[in-house]
Amino acid sequence: MGGACYKPPVAEMDLLSWMESRVRARTLPRHVAIIMDGNGRWAETRGRSRVEGHREGSRSVRSVTREARKIGLEALTLYAFSSQNWGRPDEEVGALMQLLAEYLDSERAEIMDNRIRLHTIGETGRLPGFVRERLESVRAASAGNDGMVLTLALSYGGQEEIVQAAQAAARVGPVEADALEAHLWTAGLPPLDLLVRTSGERRISNFLLWQAAYAEMVFVETLWPDFRETDLLGAIADFQQRERRFGLTAAQVTSG
Ligand code: FPP
């Protein structure tokens, strides 16, 4: 390897620990969610199949989850499969389901060792049996864990989530914001602080529509398979520069 892009491994380690100490020195977001976009483009630019892009993307899932846990996030929510993704070619949907199953098998020990609690949001009943069984098994095994909550959004749509929450709330009383919120699939998770989308797209794509009301948004050009530990830390550092006002004035927020 040569040329301007080469960075010695030691310098990479230094960069990672330097970024970790920098984000740890400031208030961390409690809950980070990520729209993992760009697997297809990553593969296409390398002349590889879209499925290979998803496979490399699942490696980013591992790296980012590990880093999120390491720095002490309370909750990480990943958009792994949308309600609309069912419309993709059968082969791609099948490969994504297979990757999910492989991920659950290979990560089970790490999830348990790191006291991560696995949670899912979405219409998981639509997933094939071999994925549902694995999800349920890891979910049940990790239910008592007190570390970070890792939420996989699977067969998830934000509009669909709000509709079912409104219907459930209406069955028990007047539909007010608190009542509806209590029926969202994310009930019990910390409020969403930071929403990241990779691959240069600047859309929310039916993800956490309700929960994103006051979330900070960070859009990065990096394609998801290239998004690793330092990219997560960079997004958090960006978040830490923001002034969150929640509808108040800057003077009110700073006076405290
Ligand atoms: C969007 O990229 C990504 C997806 C639809 C799937 C995300 C899945 C993974 C990261 C891997 C499996 C998940 C886990 C949890 C192991 P795209 O295909 O829309 O990319 P493009 O916009 O470049 O075509």
Side-chain angles (χ1 to χ4, degrees):
M1 231 202 274
C5 292
Y6 177 70
K7 274 196 227 139
V10 173
E12 282 166 27
M13 287 293 290
D14 287 347
L15 176 65
L16 182 60
S17 14
W18 178 77
M19 290 183 84
E20 282 170 351
S21 58
R22 200 173 69 140
V23 303
R24 277 184 171 135
R26 291 169 164 234
T27 307
L28 283 171
R30 296 179 66 196
H31 184 177
V32 175
I34 309 183
I35 302 178
M36 308 184 288
D37 196 12
N39 294 350
R41 276 163 285 164
W42 183 92
E44 279 153 25
T45 55
R46 287 164 177 76
R48 293 161 70 175
S49 70
R50 293 181 57 81
V51 171
E52 288 179 87
H54 294 313
R55 184 169 291 284
E56 193 60 27
S58 69
R59 296 195 180 102
S60 296
V61 170
R62 290 186 181 93
S63 308
V64 166
T65 303
R66 192 171 296 167
E67 188 61 26
R69 173 73 181 108
K70 186 174 174 195
I71 59 170
L73 294 190
E74 285 177 51
L76 175 70
T77 299
L78 301 175
Y79 204 6
F81 194 82
S82 74
S83 307
Q84 289 66 36
N85 287 155
W86 290 114
R88 291 194 175 197
D90 289 348
E91 192 191 316
E92 185 170 340
V93 171
L96 279 167
M97 295 301 137
Q98 196 58 49
L99 274 175
L100 266 169
E102 284 172 23
Y103 169 82
L104 292 165
D105 288 343
S106 67
E107 295 312 288
R108 186 187 178 103
E110 176 147 349
I111 286 172
M112 296 308 295
D113 289 349
N114 287 292
R115 303 197 322 275
I116 292 172
R117 180 159 68 83
L118 182 75
H119 178 56
T120 56
I121 53 173
E123 296 169 311
T124 50
R126 293 183 68 187
L127 299 168
F130 69 95
V131 176
R132 272 189 283 123
E133 283 154 21
R134 286 169 166 86
L135 277 173
E136 182 47 28
S137 167
V138 181
R139 194 201 60 72
S142 68
N145 288 350
D146 59 359
M148 181 179 82
V149 184
L150 170 64
T151 301
L152 298 181
L154 293 165
S155 191
Y156 174 87
Q159 292 177 340
E160 290 81 347
E161 179 185 31
I162 293 168
V163 168
Q164 70 75 34
Q167 288 168 342
R171 280 196 286 274
V172 287
V175 182
E176 285 162 5
D178 285 354
L180 192 149
E181 202 161 55
H183 288 93
L184 292 173
W185 292 318
T186 52
L189 292 178
L192 181 63
D193 292 316
L194 169 61
L195 177 61
V196 179
R197 183 173 187 145
T198 60
S199 91
E201 309 289 353
R202 286 164 173 77
R203 286 189 295 277
I204 194 163
S205 297
N206 205 16
F207 190 45
L208 300 178
L209 298 179
W210 179 283
Q211 298 84 344
Y214 288 102
E216 295 297 323
M217 312 241 173
V218 170
F219 298 102
V220 296
E221 297 297 319
T222 313
L223 303 175
W224 177 250
D226 291 325
F227 191 95
R228 297 290 163 104
E229 291 87 342
T230 51
D231 303 282
L232 174 71
L233 297 171
I236 293 174
D238 187 337
F239 165 87
Q240 290 172 326
Q241 306 289 329
R242 311 273 180 96
E243 179 186 67
R244 303 184 76 194
R245 293 202 288 273
F246 300 96
L248 304 180
T249 66
Q252 283 175 302
V253 171
T254 47
S255 70

